[in-house]
Amino acid sequence: QVIVAMLNAQFAAPLAVGAHLLNVRCSIGLALYPHDATAPEALLDLADRAMYASKRDKSRRRESNADPH
């Protein structure tokens, strides 16, 4: 959780590209060896699932915070 929070914090500020400021978002999936799995394929699968769960959660938060007007 700490690692994910640190990475998300790095993407919180707008990114300057030339004269433009870009708001970058990311979805992070984390799986830890050997706690979550020991096989590389299993770790990748778990991290992938966690990433898509993160994407769904962020989408739901944006929808619930949207202005209905």
Side-chain angles (χ1 to χ4, degrees):
Q1 295 285 347
V2 173
I3 295 168
V4 172
M6 289 171 51
L7 290 170
N8 278 326
Q10 293 299 310
F11 287 98
L15 176 66
V17 177
H20 304 281
L21 286 178
L22 304 177
N23 291 311
V24 179
R25 294 191 175 120
C26 68
S27 296
I28 299 170
L30 183 68
L32 300 175
Y33 172 89
H35 181 266
D36 296 321
T38 57
E41 297 82 13
L43 284 166
L44 287 172
D45 182 58
L46 289 169
D48 197 46
R49 290 176 192 221
M51 180 193 63
Y52 282 105
S54 174
K55 286 172 133 350
R56 281 191 304 275
D57 290 346
K58 287 179 184 179
S59 177
R60 286 185 190 127
R61 282 195 299 270
R62 280 194 304 272
E63 290 170 5
S64 67
N65 292 332
D67 185 2
H69 298 97

